[in-house]
Amino acid sequence: MAARLAQPMSPRLYADLASWWPLLSDPEDYRAEARLVLDLLSCVLGGPPGSLLELGSGGGHLACHLPAALEVVLLDLSPTMLEVSRQRNPVRAHVLADMRQAELGRRFDAVLLHDAAMYLLEAEDLAQACGVAAAHLLPGGAFLMLPDVVAEEFEEGTVTGGGEAPDGRAARLTEWVWDPDPQDGRYRVDMSLLLRDADGTMRAVHDVHEMALRSRAQWWAGVRAAGLVPVEAPPLLAARFGGEVFLARKPGNGG
């Protein structure tokens, strides 16, 4: 899970606890997903992208598995998450900005919006972020959005994780996913964190995150509102991701 917009969430995981993120979610787990992202973008572009902008890039776990030859710009609203990302991606460009309002003054072959999309709670937020993506794409460029879940597939449940660091720190995480109000288009993730410092000191932290719960049609509406043209993802690639894939092209250059 990457760092996100600050307004709808408890900020601790994206502020004072950001340095713990690599222990809570192993960067190695993103290796196969990075390959899949490139394969999906290549379906639109006819080959691998030469430049990519990631909106809501968080700790840079996915970016660290992208080829060194690929120019990657990582954009996020959390300065502490960007610092975590710089440690793992020291040669990549990092930009502190809101994905709904960013203007970098250049365009890319591809734009990626991964699970940061879940923090775009309002339809206007989604439309704005997709608009930023479109504005930063070259004609014929590829947009890929990979939200955690669509409303049609949502299920309540729990997820656990955690790991250890060479310096003696360790962390354990339980995420409790549930929907307090099925009518409001949102769900909630209560994160319970046990954090052990290098000196053995233990802390327990409760962090609450509010996520968007949209139907497929609502996600696609945000993409189309930005003038992007949906592209059907190859079924085998979509199955490899195991979730919903929103792939689109910016019109131009025959697209």
Side-chain angles (χ1 to χ4, degrees):
M1 191 185 308
R4 318 293 188 241
L5 304 178
Q7 180 182 1
M9 67 182 183
S10 171
R12 293 204 63 184
L13 188 58
Y14 306 100
D16 63 305
L17 298 180
S19 65
W20 292 90
W21 181 238
L23 296 184
L24 298 169
S25 183
D26 188 349
E28 281 303 308
D29 292 344
Y30 293 73
R31 185 179 298 275
E33 198 160 359
R35 180 68 259 171
L36 177 59
V37 164
L38 291 179
D39 289 344
L40 287 165
L41 294 173
S42 296
C43 291
V44 176
L45 299 171
S51 58
L52 180 144
L53 169 65
E54 183 177 358
L55 301 176
S57 56
H61 285 16
L62 188 143
C64 70
H65 298 296
L66 296 174
L70 174 61
E71 180 190 4
V72 178
V73 174
L74 303 171
L75 182 149
D76 203 276
L77 188 60
S78 166
T80 49
M81 272 293 188
L82 285 177
E83 184 56 36
V84 171
S85 180
R86 287 188 185 96
Q87 296 172 21
R88 198 163 297 278
N89 300 278
V91 301
R92 308 288 197 194
H94 289 77
V95 177
L96 178 66
D98 188 325
M99 72 173 82
R100 300 167 298 181
Q101 302 168 0
E103 175 49 68
L104 304 188
R106 60 159 299 185
R107 294 189 284 182
F108 300 79
D109 294 328
V111 175
L112 170 65
L113 173 53
H114 202 285
D115 52 359
M118 304 309 296
Y119 292 91
L120 298 167
L121 297 182
E122 304 296 338
E124 181 182 4
D125 295 329
L126 176 61
Q128 288 174 339
C130 290
V132 167
H136 287 85
L137 280 173
L138 292 163
F143 174 57
L144 176 60
M145 182 166 60
L146 299 170
D148 282 338
V149 69
V150 296
E152 293 88 338
E153 304 295 336
F154 176 78
E155 294 182 357
E156 295 187 345
T158 57
V159 179
T160 60
E164 293 78 32
D167 63 4
R169 294 187 307 153
R172 295 294 182 269
L173 167 67
T174 298
E175 296 185 14
W176 185 357
V177 179
W178 63 297
D179 188 359
D181 181 359
Q183 306 303 318
D184 67 356
R186 303 179 182 188
Y187 69 97
R188 175 167 158 159
V189 180
D190 283 82
M191 296 186 179
S192 174
L193 299 91
L194 283 175
L195 308 175
R196 188 185 71 200
D197 290 307
D199 63 2
T201 302
M202 294 289 295
R203 288 179 285 162
V205 178
H206 176 210
D207 211 14
V208 180
H209 298 254
E210 195 172 16
M211 310 283 197
L213 189 57
R214 293 187 174 91
S215 67
R216 293 183 182 91
Q218 289 170 326
W219 285 110
W220 278 122
V223 173
R224 291 189 174 96
L228 298 168
V229 179
V231 174
E232 184 177 359
L236 289 178
L237 291 182
R240 278 171 50 197
F241 175 64
E244 207 70 23
V245 173
F246 295 85
L247 187 62
R249 174 187 288 111
K250 181 172 181 175
N253 288 354

